[in-house]
Amino acid sequence: MTTRDKLQQAATVARNMAQLTDEKVAAILQDTAEALREGCSEILSANRLDLARMAPENPKYDRLKLTEERIDVIAGDMENVAGLPSPLGKTLAQWDCPNGMTIRKVTVPFGVIGVIYEARPNVTADVFSLCLKSGNVCVLKGGSDADNTNRKIVEIIHTVLEQYGLDRAICTLLDASREATAELLSAVGTVDLIIPRGSSALIEFVRNNARVPVIETGAGICHTYFDKAGDVQKGAAIVNNAKTRRVSVCNALDCLVVHRERLADLAEICAPLSRSKVTIYADREAFEALMGSYPHELLLPATETSYGTEFLDYKMSIRTVGSLEEALEHIARYSSKHSESIVSENRDTITRFEQAVDAACVYANISTAFTDGAQFGFGAEIGISTQKLHARGPMALPELTTYKYLIEGDGQTRK
Amino acid sequence: MTTRDKLQQAATVARNMAQLTDEKVAAILQDTAEALREGCSEILSANRLDLARMAPENPKYDRLKLTEERIDVIAGDMENVAGLPSPLGKTLAQWDCPNGMTIRKVTVPFGVIGVIYEARPNVTADVFSLCLKSGNVCVLKGGSDADNTNRKIVEIIHTVLEQYGLDRAICTLLDASREATAELLSAVGTVDLIIPRGSSALIEFVRNNARVPVIETGAGICHTYFDKAGDVQKGAAIVNNAKTRRVSVCNALDCLVVHRERLADLAEICAPLSRSKVTIYADREAFEALMGSYPHELLLPATETSYGTEFLDYKMSIRTVGSLEEALEHIARYSSKHSESIVSENRDTITRFEQAVDAACVYANISTAFTDGAQFGFGAEIGISTQKLHARGPMALPELTTYKYLIEGDGQTRK
């Protein structure tokens, strides 16, 4: 089947998804989780074929590699999604109009959601479960590096769907080719939404080439502003946690913005970072403040590329500012509008920061590491949106729905 | 100033819009409405320059032409928006987490909204008032046909903004050039949202060229399905109203889908259409059913292009089907997902139609002419969204906002 035929088939199947009951969806996901556990050795065999084509020192290798434990986690996540409340059929608003017509705004699935991702086979199972639970058909375009693993996982999903008498197109895996990506990105009227998950290069490629609506996820250039009225203990803990908990995630800290009047505390704020061997790119004033206390070999002068960079590594920049407004200026210029934090004991300053910072998640006296669906209590997450249209920040099941208006009357016409 | 500089300036100004109180916004809009009335003769002079460049038989001529009455309506609409409730600062959700952090989801402006439109100078004032009321900066890219009129209206808006000590960039008018459009469409990170308003050619151009997120509006290929259990009186009134109330609007009827068992009633259902000289493109069965009763010169056989066409004219197609499912099939194939209606007295049939039809507005026993912000009770409308991301159907002030999460803690870090 050509990619175009596959997409057309997905759109046709999507039209009948509203007829699936939530009970049936939950049963399918439970059975699929079980089938993934039972198919563990087959999945691992397929995964070994993919791993054999990749050098172990490639940073993608660890994400590609599955183990029995990881498959168990993937199955557990699917069971978890099965048990979440359905986001469908919710009445968001309802009212009567003067002419006697009634209007009801109800949640419905998008239809067909395309997800483009790299060598992370767990995404295959995650996306299927979140899309099925929200009544959507998923079209998966995984990285070619993980193609054997993805095919095996989807084969297991298809077996379960067929046991329920359902169409395999509910979980459509495209060929791992550039042509398939191009077809997906231009499938206006067939695919309702595309979510790219992966590197900023992937996201930019999708943005530049998609004609289908896109939700961009995951690019995080995150700042923490240590204010004139900041608490040093809190600041040190928050900066260290946001930078070093996991450097490869999008909510990790990239730049500490510090008020000039608190440079004397900078050594204490940054002290925990040296334990994780974090390299600091400091502007002149911060450099001088850290000289002598922070390990010499980890302290470098900042250059213009030190700012606005998502490091995804044990690296961080520092910018010194003379005021809150100057900090806001710096953040507005370099932020990717993902997660930004302030450390301050001054309520007015916090309020101004919350109001002025344009980001999905604006934190006060807390680490940006909490930008995550599970931490927000959402139960599951398909990504962290960094755009403003439709969904911002952690996206869970409700964000995978849209709505329609149902208007009922008794023959009314408009004058 | 170059277009790029203008967009950059708009983005800078957008960062401080949250500081404008709703009282001040209302006062600005009231004063602008007054200033538009006072500037009436200047606006009409500018409008005459534009009209002089257009042939009066051009269908755009009427939309371009302003009169004292039309300017009064534009000013009245602005006063109306001034009095609507502010959509900003609403707490959409709020909760505490086990670690003690509190999360608040609050509505905020998008930032910079670009609107690309054709020769309709009323849009200039409408977009400014809706954007200002929702805390957004607007970037207007009007048609070159209306450039003198648009410049004069924006000049009046700027005068009022300056009286309030505000930056003119709050209402930014771009040059009416292709280069300005190209710059606007690719202003990722500067412009937050683009809404095209106009012909389907304009919308398609925007979709194919934008890298900034877009909300598509206004393309309506609308059906009415007259079911086996439909009421003839209601059907005749609804079809006539949906087709002939205003043929140039997006919610106008394009195709009547009729159940085969009700072909005997087709003449009665279509009878009112002949008074407005509606040309009908009927399939073979419908053609035969109408032969003899519907005016000969207005009855033509349908061709494949009769379906899936937005006529915007006194023209309509008819398709005969053997079942509800066949009707759903036809609608799924040709609908632009704007407004679809069923005429039926059977509750189960209505429910299935409402569930299966993928459109912003799904009607039962009522004319599609009601798809309109004012009819929905929204007070104002910036357009009718035909996509599923963010907003569907009539878009009013709440749809011109996004949200952010404000997370407050006391030094929490993540394990």
Side-chain angles (χ1 to χ4, degrees):
Chain A
M1 237 203 266
T2 66
T3 300
R4 188 166 297 186
D5 289 343
K6 283 185 185 175
L7 296 176
Q8 200 49 59
Q9 175 70 359
T12 302
V13 169
R15 284 169 38 211
N16 288 312
M17 293 288 280
Q19 287 176 300
L20 269 182
T21 64
D22 190 50
E23 289 66 35
K24 194 165 177 181
V25 165
I28 295 166
L29 292 178
Q30 298 281 5
D31 285 3
T32 309
E34 201 43 49
L36 289 171
R37 287 198 186 93
E38 282 169 12
C40 184
S41 63
E42 287 178 57
I43 297 171
L44 293 179
S45 300
N47 190 235
R48 275 191 295 273
L49 292 177
D50 288 329
L51 289 168
R53 294 182 300 158
M54 188 182 280
E57 55 276 15
N58 187 323
K60 291 184 189 169
Y61 191 88
D62 181 60
R63 287 182 161 178
L64 172 59
K65 187 183 166 103
L66 292 179
T67 61
E68 196 173 334
E69 294 69 37
R70 285 190 179 184
I71 291 171
D72 192 55
V73 168
I74 291 169
D77 286 346
M78 193 172 280
E79 287 165 337
N80 174 42
V81 170
L84 292 173
S86 170
L88 298 173
K90 303 250 171 289
T91 299
L92 300 174
Q94 180 164 16
W95 67 98
D96 298 328
C97 295
N99 70 351
M101 69 181 182
T102 63
I103 302 182
R104 209 150 49 92
K105 183 180 183 181
V106 296
T107 59
V108 296
F110 269 103
V112 178
I113 298 181
V115 178
I116 304 179
Y117 53 109
E118 291 162 338
R120 300 181 62 171
N122 62 308
V123 173
T124 307
D126 281 2
V127 168
F128 164 68
S129 62
L130 289 164
C131 284
L132 185 69
K133 184 74 185 183
S134 54
N136 292 293
V137 164
C138 63
V139 174
L140 303 164
K141 171 63 189 66
S144 57
D145 292 340
D147 198 40
N148 289 295
T149 317
N150 287 338
R151 281 177 190 283
K152 179 52 72 181
I153 292 172
V154 169
E155 187 187 312
I156 291 170
I157 292 169
H158 284 169
T159 305
V160 178
L161 288 173
E162 282 171 355
Q163 282 163 7
Y164 280 83
L166 295 171
D167 199 300
R168 305 155 63 110
I170 288 173
C171 182
T172 297
L173 180 67
L174 300 185
D175 294 340
S177 69
R178 281 169 184 276
E179 294 70 29
T181 305
E183 197 81 56
L184 176 61
L185 291 175
S186 60
V188 175
T190 309
V191 174
D192 294 289
L193 170 61
I194 289 172
I195 304 175
R197 282 185 59 165
S199 65
S200 49
L202 170 69
I203 291 164
E204 196 176 337
F205 177 79
V206 169
R207 179 202 298 146
N208 291 347
N209 292 282
R211 298 200 295 150
V212 172
V214 169
I215 292 185
E216 298 180 18
T217 68
I221 301 171
C222 302
H223 300 77
T224 294
Y225 168 54
F226 190 86
D227 179 49
K228 187 165 68 169
D231 178 280
V232 175
Q233 267 71 48
K234 289 180 193 170
I238 287 167
V239 167
N240 186 50
N241 185 251
K243 179 68 260 180
T244 67
R245 199 191 73 91
R246 272 182 75 191
V247 295
S248 64
V249 294
C250 54
N251 59 34
L253 178 61
D254 296 295
C255 177
L256 169 63
V257 182
V258 62
H259 195 288
R260 184 166 292 126
E261 292 180 29
R262 300 305 296 276
L263 282 170
D265 298 295
L266 192 59
E268 194 175 344
I269 295 166
C270 293
L273 296 172
S274 66
R275 287 200 296 272
S276 304
K277 303 209 180 306
V278 173
T279 299
I280 290 178
Y281 301 91
D283 63 8
R284 193 183 49 74
E285 292 174 88
F287 191 94
E288 285 170 12
L290 289 173
M291 229 170 26
S293 73
Y294 202 76
H296 176 73
E297 69 283 8
L298 296 173
L299 185 60
L300 295 168
T303 62
E304 196 40 45
T305 59
S306 307
Y307 305 109
T309 295
E310 186 177 19
F311 289 109
L312 300 170
D313 200 351
Y314 290 93
K315 294 175 179 172
M316 180 185 95
S317 60
I318 302 183
R319 165 68 56 107
T320 308
V321 295
S323 66
L324 169 63
E325 295 304 316
E326 206 184 316
L328 293 173
E329 195 78 40
H330 180 85
I331 291 170
R333 178 160 175 202
Y334 294 108
S335 165
S336 70
K337 302 178 181 179
H338 186 296
S339 299
E340 303 295 342
S341 184
I342 181 173
V343 180
S344 178
E345 298 297 311
N346 182 313
R347 185 67 244 178
D348 290 345
T349 303
I350 290 173
T351 301
R352 169 71 184 139
F353 187 86
E354 289 179 341
Q355 181 203 56
V357 171
D358 183 15
C361 299
V362 184
Y363 290 86
N365 292 319
I366 179 163
S367 163
T368 54
F370 290 102
T371 302
D372 174 287
Q375 296 295 318
F376 271 42
F378 291 168
E381 175 197 290
I382 200 161
I384 313 266
S385 163
T386 51
Q387 72 177 46
K388 299 185 192 177
L389 209 58
H390 187 73
R392 230 177 164 186
M395 289 178 65
L397 290 171
E399 286 74 27
L400 292 179
T401 68
T402 179
Y403 56 81
K404 64 182 167 190
Y405 290 104
L406 301 179
I407 305 102
E408 298 200 357
D410 194 33
Q412 282 89 340
T413 55
R414 184 173 169 193
K415 292 211 179 72
Chain B
M1 234 202 266
T2 66
T3 299
R4 189 166 297 187
D5 289 343
K6 283 185 185 176
L7 296 176
Q8 198 50 59
Q9 175 70 359
T12 302
V13 168
R15 283 170 38 211
N16 288 312
M17 293 288 280
Q19 288 177 298
L20 269 183
T21 64
D22 190 49
E23 289 68 33
K24 195 165 178 181
V25 165
I28 295 166
L29 293 178
Q30 299 281 5
D31 285 3
T32 308
E34 203 42 51
L36 289 171
R37 286 198 186 94
E38 282 169 12
C40 184
S41 62
E42 287 178 58
I43 297 171
L44 293 179
S45 302
N47 190 237
R48 275 191 294 273
L49 293 176
D50 288 329
L51 289 169
R53 295 182 299 157
M54 189 183 280
E57 55 276 17
N58 188 323
K60 290 183 189 170
Y61 192 88
D62 181 60
R63 288 183 162 179
L64 172 59
K65 187 184 168 107
L66 292 179
T67 61
E68 196 173 334
E69 293 70 35
R70 285 191 179 183
I71 291 170
D72 192 56
V73 168
I74 290 170
D77 286 347
M78 193 171 279
E79 288 165 337
N80 174 42
V81 170
L84 291 173
S86 170
L88 297 173
K90 303 251 171 287
T91 299
L92 300 174
Q94 180 164 18
W95 67 99
D96 298 327
C97 294
N99 70 351
M101 69 181 180
T102 63
I103 302 181
R104 208 150 49 92
K105 182 180 183 181
V106 296
T107 59
V108 296
F110 269 103
V112 178
I113 297 181
V115 178
I116 303 179
Y117 54 109
E118 292 163 338
R120 300 183 62 171
N122 62 307
V123 173
T124 307
D126 281 2
V127 167
F128 164 67
S129 62
L130 289 164
C131 284
L132 185 69
K133 183 75 185 183
S134 54
N136 293 293
V137 164
C138 63
V139 173
L140 304 164
K141 170 64 189 64
S144 56
D145 292 340
D147 199 41
N148 288 296
T149 317
N150 287 337
R151 280 176 191 283
K152 178 52 72 180
I153 292 171
V154 169
E155 187 187 312
I156 291 170
I157 292 169
H158 284 167
T159 305
V160 178
L161 289 173
E162 282 171 355
Q163 282 163 7
Y164 279 85
L166 296 171
D167 200 299
R168 305 155 63 107
I170 288 174
C171 182
T172 296
L173 180 68
L174 299 185
D175 294 340
S177 69
R178 281 170 184 276
E179 294 70 29
T181 305
E183 196 81 57
L184 176 60
L185 292 175
S186 60
V188 176
T190 309
V191 174
D192 294 289
L193 169 62
I194 289 173
I195 304 175
R197 283 185 57 164
S199 66
S200 49
L202 170 70
I203 291 164
E204 196 177 336
F205 177 80
V206 169
R207 179 202 296 147
N208 291 347
N209 292 282
R211 298 201 296 151
V212 172
V214 169
I215 293 185
E216 297 180 18
T217 68
I221 300 170
C222 303
H223 301 77
T224 293
Y225 168 54
F226 189 86
D227 179 48
K228 187 165 68 169
D231 178 280
V232 175
Q233 266 72 47
K234 290 179 192 170
I238 288 167
V239 167
N240 186 50
N241 186 251
K243 179 67 263 179
T244 67
R245 199 191 74 91
R246 272 182 75 190
V247 295
S248 63
V249 294
C250 55
N251 60 33
L253 177 61
D254 296 295
C255 177
L256 169 63
V257 181
V258 62
H259 195 288
R260 184 166 293 127
E261 292 181 28
R262 299 305 296 276
L263 283 170
D265 298 295
L266 192 58
E268 194 174 344
I269 295 166
C270 294
L273 296 171
S274 66
R275 288 200 296 272
S276 304
K277 302 209 181 305
V278 173
T279 299
I280 290 179
Y281 301 92
D283 63 7
R284 193 184 49 74
E285 292 174 86
F287 191 93
E288 285 171 9
L290 289 173
M291 229 169 26
S293 73
Y294 202 77
H296 176 72
E297 69 282 8
L298 297 173
L299 184 60
L300 294 168
T303 62
E304 196 41 46
T305 60
S306 308
Y307 304 109
T309 294
E310 185 177 19
F311 288 109
L312 300 170
D313 200 350
Y314 289 93
K315 294 176 180 172
M316 181 185 95
S317 60
I318 302 183
R319 164 68 55 107
T320 308
V321 295
S323 65
L324 169 64
E325 294 305 316
E326 206 184 315
L328 292 173
E329 195 78 39
H330 181 84
I331 291 170
R333 178 160 175 201
Y334 294 109
S335 165
S336 70
K337 303 180 181 179
H338 185 296
S339 298
E340 303 295 343
S341 185
I342 182 173
V343 180
S344 178
E345 298 298 310
N346 183 313
R347 187 65 245 178
D348 290 344
T349 303
I350 290 173
T351 302
R352 169 72 184 139
F353 187 87
E354 289 179 341
Q355 182 204 55
V357 171
D358 183 16
C361 299
V362 183
Y363 290 86
N365 292 319
I366 179 162
S367 163
T368 53
F370 289 101
T371 302
D372 175 286
Q375 296 295 318
F376 270 43
F378 291 168
E381 176 197 290
I382 200 162
I384 312 266
S385 164
T386 51
Q387 71 177 47
K388 299 185 193 177
L389 208 59
H390 187 72
R392 231 179 162 185
M395 289 178 64
L397 290 171
E399 286 75 27
L400 292 179
T401 68
T402 179
Y403 56 81
K404 64 182 167 190
Y405 290 104
L406 301 179
I407 305 102
E408 299 200 356
D410 194 33
Q412 283 89 338
T413 56
R414 184 172 169 193
K415 294 211 179 74

